[in-house]
Amino acid sequence: DSASGSIEVEQKFLFGPDAVQKLKGLGAMPEASVSFRDRYYDVPDWHLTLADHWLRQREGAGWELKSPLRPLEGAATSRGQQNLPEPPAGARSHEPQHPPQPLEGRTHLATQYQEVTCPRDIVARVCGLLGVDPAAGWQSDVARAVEELGLQEFASFVTQRCKYRLASLRLTVDLDEMDFGYAVGEVEAMVLQEQEVPEALERIQELGIRLGLDMKSPIPGKMSVYLCKFRPAHYEALMRAGLLRKVRAAADEE
Ligand code: V4E
């Protein structure tokens, strides 16, 4: 199961107008800038995102599920495994039974998620979380599964991305600007096995030092800012579960 996707180790940072200059100074190679729309889906009671699972369809790339590397401690991850009867629509529990480890309390600010892209694995995981058996007709068809499971789009936005590769540190840096008025940088390492994560975290810290980045302040991701602006109830629920970084009031006014 853990072999069904690569592991993304990533840390966000705020970048200024000199970011490109600094990256080039370290020998980072720019790739063509790209622009894509992401659409995120969840059930109306946010069961997937409250379990820290992020299902999206990215223009030009297809379906992708980001799952936490380790199951959240104590979080209600699968209705099926808990032998819960399927509650009537609209009457599901809105919160994990025990809060997961809050983002702020983690040793590193870098996040680690498994990226699942195999359609069959995506459907299997989503069904597992919702306690539903996938039917033969759609067990490897994510779009059909989304329909059958009653998932709804809760976020849709366009990102303009400038990507840089640092071959020496085996890292990539994305400078992202979203159409809802937020910009955030991401230093990213992709690894295949969990044992490689600590070393990836070190490479990320190393680049942060070389770029003179503030690696100690938690930076809200694009989703935190998006939900805070457009889906405040969903944002609050995720904040209460400790799954999103708080967006400062100043970021709202930009
Ligand atoms: C994992 C996650 C979400 C899904 C989107 O992840 P993110 O890294 O923000 O997006 P993106 O588009 O840069 O992905 P890529 O192109 O690199 O594949 S939305 C929220 N999370 C969890 C999360 C969090 N709560 N806080 C922080 C700082 N990061 C991720």
Side-chain angles (χ1 to χ4, degrees):
D1 188 50
S2 61
S4 65
S6 39
I7 299 167
E8 179 196 63
V9 187
E10 176 189 280
Q11 181 154 353
K12 315 236 188 285
F13 64 94
L14 295 179
F15 61 93
D18 57 343
V20 168
Q21 200 62 34
K22 281 185 184 168
L23 280 164
K24 287 185 173 162
L26 290 179
M29 300 298 290
E31 292 192 351
S33 139
V34 289
S35 169
F36 48 83
R37 179 174 289 279
D38 285 323
R39 294 186 173 86
Y40 285 85
Y41 294 84
D42 201 347
V43 280
D45 75 353
W46 313 314
H47 189 82
L48 300 181
T49 52
L50 284 173
D52 205 17
H53 286 68
W54 304 87
L55 175 66
R56 75 173 173 217
Q57 188 177 33
R58 173 166 291 180
E59 219 172 54
W63 291 95
E64 193 168 51
L65 179 70
K66 292 210 196 202
S67 311
L69 188 49
R70 278 168 294 275
L72 292 168
E73 224 173 284
T77 46
S78 164
R79 291 186 183 126
Q81 278 163 21
Q82 298 173 106
N83 289 321
L84 290 181
E86 182 64 10
R92 291 165 176 154
S93 151
H94 276 214
E95 246 143 339
Q97 278 156 354
H98 308 282
Q101 186 186 11
L103 269 183
E104 311 292 346
R106 292 177 189 166
T107 3
H108 283 271
L109 290 177
T111 54
Q112 299 147 43
Y113 284 88
Q114 231 180 314
E115 286 196 355
V116 185
T117 51
C118 165
R120 179 182 283 268
D121 293 347
I122 292 176
V123 173
R125 283 186 184 221
V126 169
C127 282
L129 284 159
L130 298 177
V132 174
D133 276 331
W138 46 269
Q139 62 189 1
S140 40
D141 182 343
V142 184
R144 276 281 310 279
V146 162
E147 249 182 69
E148 301 287 340
L149 297 166
L151 303 191
Q152 291 171 6
E153 181 187 291
F154 68 88
S156 171
F157 54 84
V158 174
T159 299
Q160 175 88 39
R161 170 170 289 179
C162 296
K163 193 185 261 303
Y164 292 82
R165 272 186 201 284
L166 271 134
S168 57
L169 283 167
R170 284 174 292 130
L171 295 172
T172 59
V173 176
D174 294 336
L175 304 181
D176 288 347
E177 286 184 62
M178 277 58 72
D179 62 356
F180 54 89
Y182 185 55
V184 68
E186 299 178 346
V187 185
E188 190 176 298
M190 294 296 286
V191 300
L192 290 172
Q193 292 177 331
E194 197 174 339
Q195 303 92 277
E196 301 170 71
V197 169
E199 188 260 333
L201 289 169
E202 276 173 29
R203 281 186 277 132
I204 290 173
Q205 296 309 307
E206 175 69 30
L207 179 61
I209 291 165
R210 289 202 211 164
L211 286 174
L213 300 175
D214 167 15
M215 302 293 274
K216 296 267 150 63
S217 310
I219 305 299
K222 54 197 76 158
M223 186 59 75
S224 304
V225 176
Y226 182 94
L227 294 177
C228 181
K229 273 193 173 181
F230 302 113
R231 301 271 173 166
H234 194 172
Y235 171 78
E236 286 300 333
L238 288 161
M239 285 291 295
R240 279 197 302 273
L243 291 170
L244 282 184
R245 295 224 166 100
K246 199 175 167 96
V247 176
R248 287 176 308 113
D252 295 344
E253 275 121 46
E254 278 168 18

